[in-house]
Amino acid sequence: MNPWLLLAILTGAAAAVLFYLASPQQQWRAAGPVRGRWWPGSVCALASLMATLQLLAPMESVFAWSVLLMFVASIMPFLGAWRRRSRAQENA
Amino acid sequence: MKIGSDIVKVYKDVHIWVGIVCGLMLFIAFYAGAITIFEKPLERWATPPSTLSPPPPLEDAEKLLAAVLAAHPQAAQRYSIVVNPVPDQPARVIWSERGARPRQQIEYGASFAADGSLQVEKLRKAQAAQMVDRMHQFVGLPLPDGIARYIMGAVALAYAVALLSGLIVLLPTLVTDVFALRIGKNIKRMWLDAHNALGIFSLPFHLVIALTSVVFAFHDPFYDSQAKALYGGQINWGEHEEAPTGSAPLPASQLLQQANAQLPGFEVYRFGFQRNRDGQLEASIVGLDVRRGARGRTYMQTHLDPFTGTIDTHDLPGHMDGWSESVNAFFALHFGSYGGNPVRWLYVLMGLAGAALFYTGNLLWVESRRRKQRGAATVEQKRSVRVLAVLTVGVALGCVAGLSTSIAAAKWLPSRVDDLMFWHEAIYYVVFFAAVGWALLRGAARSAGELLWLCALTTLLIPLSSLAGVWGIGGTWNHAGSAAIDLTALAAVPVLLLLARHSRRRMREGRADSVWSADMLPTVHATAKGALQSAD
């Protein structure tokens, strides 16, 4: 696999996950959200965009990058709720 | 953000009713659209094996072409030299001739037999991918193109309205509710959160899809209006360049070398040749550069000089003028025709998430209107609630089962019938309407689990058909290297079975005052009961 592609996917997905973890509504971490920490997600998002720009033309890069972020951000609430439920079952 | 409650209510009503009217059609469009993203692999998977001998090397393409033109001079009007023959383009030289019907083109392919004699085969195009695309384009409506296309355009416009009205409804609580998914006793809240989670972040994607769909549906009227308003009736497409002249076109292998040198990163699929009205030879190059979005769903095309190999790049993305780049972007963003398989998979997932968005919207509507049980008295839900629940289950799962069955049939039909498209559509609609009828008969609660089982079984038929092809049972076949389709279908089976299990659990253990409970009467029974009570 192209290393730029791998970097673009991993940092893009990490960006959306980190944004989720920084949200007050996150359910993944039992300890609560990483409050006010939006910068790790932003750095990852920027790194992902830079990596995507190495692979595709500018407009296509921006759209592919945003679709990746949109998708991971859309599914994170479901993964968070699933994790919370699993945690509750383990604790019960 | 503060917005008056009266304004929110108006937009909420707009969002709800547009969603209810268009939601199920959009489910079909998105589910079929997700499959259409992998149109080419599906077409290859579904194309019957060619009887031609393996194609000669590209260096011998001219020798084969000369043999074809000697035996079939009419091929000189329009032919292609394929760079890498694949199951859906199995010959080195392919040409097309006009069929009996209007706009019908019949394709032929040629090769050399082992003894060096010319072999010619009428190519049979698989129709499974086209059928899925038709369902996507016409939101599953069994209507003629001219009508279905405009309905699809109106649905896409309504979809854009629903997106914007939904955003306005959400604005007052957007900051606090972003990323929220509260799973608890309040089922309405849960479906609302699930609907919002799917909708908020993917809003830009959905807006692009909605607006591009409107452009596709009303493409012809747009151009007609433009022609009348700006060009006095006929659009000026610019000067048509003079056809190149020369004694003999370059061999395809040299054209390929020239193309690789001029367009690094562009994968050449084929060279197309045709005679213009003056009998001059014109050529085009067809291929794909995955770094840029293509206007064609799976390819880019531009002119080249067949005598020098010089490519006229002005029709290729990245070389177009501003207006053409904008139009190209409309197509590319809708098709996901850039970035190769990673972006295609993202589009598949976003398409499925979109289908889930419309499904959850309907579930939210049903839950919002549930009459809650108080005390021991049995509660009967409103007919509108029961009907929408039944239609949500029947239409959505009928679409899934119908498409799976029709795709699986692709490997059994070619040896039995001639009109493949008719049979693909017939199979789809029979399964689809049977599922809707079953849902009406059994009620939403029971039919949800049963139809999910049907979806799993019909999806399993796809890899089973390929497995039958390994042994050639019933005229089936299996192309080497097309396992991705079978593996994807196989991976969907346990997901559908898991959903069936959850549906059955909801039917048994869910609230008794819900349309999803086994205690609730099926819609047709309840309607009959209602009619009898009215008569009494």
Side-chain angles (χ1 to χ4, degrees):
Chain A
M1 189 185 255
N2 185 326
W4 286 116
L5 176 63
L6 197 64
L7 184 67
I9 293 173
L10 290 179
T11 49
V17 171
L18 289 167
F19 284 139
Y20 175 74
L21 292 179
S23 152
Q25 297 286 358
Q26 74 83 28
Q27 300 180 69
W28 185 272
R29 274 164 49 95
V34 190
R35 282 196 178 273
R37 295 286 177 88
W38 295 98
W39 62 265
S42 305
V43 169
C44 282
L46 200 61
S48 175
L49 180 61
M50 292 297 133
T52 315
L53 281 164
Q54 304 300 314
L55 297 164
L56 304 174
M59 189 203 71
E60 285 80 354
S61 294
V62 171
F63 208 74
W65 169 78
S66 37
V67 174
L68 173 66
L69 258 65
M70 280 186 249
F71 175 70
V72 182
S74 297
I75 59 163
M76 275 317 292
F78 296 91
L79 294 178
W82 167 77
R83 166 95 182 212
R84 183 184 181 175
R85 194 173 175 171
S86 306
R87 210 167 40 229
Q89 283 171 350
E90 281 169 20
N91 294 339
Chain B
M1 180 181 278
K2 281 189 179 175
I3 301 177
S5 58
D6 50 339
I7 296 174
V8 170
K9 189 180 178 314
V10 169
Y11 281 103
K12 195 174 176 183
D13 287 344
V14 170
H15 182 75
I16 287 170
W17 288 109
V18 169
I20 292 303
V21 172
C22 303
L24 290 173
M25 285 189 272
L26 288 167
F27 178 96
I28 296 174
F30 268 73
Y31 184 75
I35 299 174
T36 317
I37 292 293
F38 281 105
E39 179 190 353
K40 269 288 157 193
L42 182 58
E43 200 170 281
R44 274 170 204 163
W45 178 90
T47 301
S50 168
T51 55
L52 294 171
S53 298
L58 187 64
E59 289 70 25
D60 290 342
E62 283 66 36
K63 205 171 132 191
L64 177 62
L65 180 64
V68 167
L69 295 180
H72 304 274
Q74 69 278 20
Q77 286 304 312
R78 185 190 287 263
Y79 62 90
S80 299
I81 295 180
V82 179
V83 173
N84 286 313
V86 282
D88 55 313
Q89 295 232 299
R92 182 69 70 195
V93 172
I94 290 176
W95 72 95
S96 57
E97 295 178 17
R98 278 188 183 171
R101 283 178 286 175
R103 292 187 186 178
Q104 187 191 17
Q105 292 282 331
I106 300 170
E107 280 197 334
Y108 297 88
S111 191
F112 286 127
D115 61 359
S117 62
L118 181 69
Q119 285 181 324
V120 172
E121 180 190 42
K122 182 179 165 185
L123 301 181
R124 288 195 78 181
K125 283 267 178 194
Q127 301 289 328
Q130 264 192 312
M131 181 277 300
V132 178
D133 189 40
R134 206 188 127 75
M135 294 305 151
H136 166 63
Q137 284 189 31
F138 302 147
V139 290
L141 296 171
L143 297 171
D145 292 12
I147 302 168
R149 188 176 294 278
Y150 290 134
I151 294 177
M152 181 275 280
V155 167
L157 206 55
Y159 163 38
V161 170
L163 289 170
L164 294 175
S165 54
L167 177 66
I168 291 167
V169 172
L170 196 65
L171 276 178
T173 55
L174 183 63
V175 176
T176 51
D177 282 357
V178 75
F179 283 125
L181 181 54
R182 288 155 282 201
I183 297 177
K185 287 186 177 173
N186 189 341
I187 297 174
K188 181 183 165 188
R189 165 58 64 188
M190 181 192 76
W191 285 125
L192 179 63
D193 283 347
H195 187 66
N196 289 344
L198 291 168
I200 294 174
F201 289 104
S202 53
L203 183 70
F205 176 84
H206 283 282
L207 277 174
V208 165
I209 297 295
L211 296 176
T212 47
S213 302
V214 174
V215 173
F216 294 158
F218 301 113
H219 189 268
D220 292 350
F222 282 161
Y223 273 105
D224 289 346
S225 313
Q226 194 185 344
K228 278 180 192 157
L230 300 175
Y231 297 97
Q234 181 66 47
I235 292 183
N236 178 10
W237 296 106
E239 292 284 314
H240 185 75
E241 287 185 19
E242 288 292 313
T245 51
S247 53
L250 289 177
S253 53
Q254 281 189 34
L255 288 177
L256 182 62
Q257 279 177 8
Q258 294 257 19
N260 289 338
Q262 291 171 70
L263 299 173
F266 184 92
E267 187 190 352
V268 183
Y269 293 165
R270 63 180 187 273
F271 296 103
F273 302 87
Q274 65 175 19
R275 297 271 167 198
N276 66 17
R277 286 176 188 168
D278 301 325
Q280 295 164 309
L281 187 68
E282 293 180 337
S284 60
I285 178 170
V286 180
L288 191 64
D289 181 349
V290 293
R291 295 167 302 179
R292 295 190 179 275
R295 186 171 178 163
R297 280 193 302 253
T298 54
Y299 65 88
M300 299 165 178
Q301 183 171 7
T302 193
H303 298 281
L304 93 156
D305 184 331
F307 305 104
T308 63
T310 307
I311 296 169
D312 175 1
T313 54
H314 87 274
D315 275 343
L316 290 179
H319 303 271
M320 297 170 170
D321 59 39
W323 168 252
S324 301
E325 285 285 6
S326 317
V327 174
N328 189 67
F330 262 97
F331 287 84
L333 294 181
H334 189 100
F335 298 149
S337 57
Y338 56 93
N341 282 342
V343 171
R344 288 186 185 279
W345 273 111
L346 264 180
Y347 266 66
V348 168
L349 295 170
M350 288 296 279
L352 295 177
L357 175 71
F358 307 120
Y359 197 85
T360 53
N362 279 18
L363 296 187
L364 178 60
W365 191 90
V366 167
E367 190 56 36
S368 302
R369 279 146 191 83
R370 179 164 61 88
R371 284 177 178 154
K372 295 184 179 73
Q373 188 167 355
R374 288 185 174 81
T378 311
V379 177
E380 192 168 305
Q381 298 300 332
K382 281 191 277 187
R383 186 193 291 178
S384 58
V385 172
R386 290 196 314 268
V387 168
L388 190 77
V390 158
L391 285 179
T392 301
V393 168
V395 170
L397 301 182
C399 164
V400 175
L403 286 179
S404 290
T405 316
S406 190
I407 290 170
K411 295 215 168 181
W412 304 87
L413 289 176
S415 60
R416 289 170 176 79
V417 298
D418 285 326
D419 192 345
L420 290 175
M421 183 54 102
F422 169 82
W423 281 96
H424 275 298
E425 288 191 1
I427 290 168
Y428 170 81
Y429 284 120
V430 165
V431 176
F432 174 81
F433 285 116
V436 175
W438 186 259
L440 279 166
L441 196 70
R442 298 279 290 161
R446 287 188 181 84
S447 66
E450 292 160 354
L451 289 176
L452 277 162
W453 260 94
L454 177 72
C455 292
L457 284 174
T458 51
T459 307
L460 185 63
L461 288 177
I462 296 172
L464 286 181
S465 297
S466 292
L467 195 62
V470 172
W471 294 291
I473 299 168
T476 57
W477 68 89
N478 185 48
H479 294 300
S482 65
I485 299 288
D486 300 311
L487 291 175
T488 307
L490 204 58
V493 173
V495 176
L496 291 164
L497 289 175
L498 191 70
L499 292 173
R501 201 176 124 195
H502 277 286
S503 294
R504 287 178 68 81
R505 191 192 296 166
R506 179 182 60 182
M507 180 183 78
R508 287 199 199 112
E509 299 168 15
R511 295 178 183 188
D513 58 358
S514 162
V515 286
W516 307 111
S517 165
D519 298 335
M520 202 55 65
L521 282 173
T523 307
V524 283
H525 295 177
T527 309
K529 189 180 156 192
L532 283 173
Q533 281 171 348
S534 308
D536 291 344

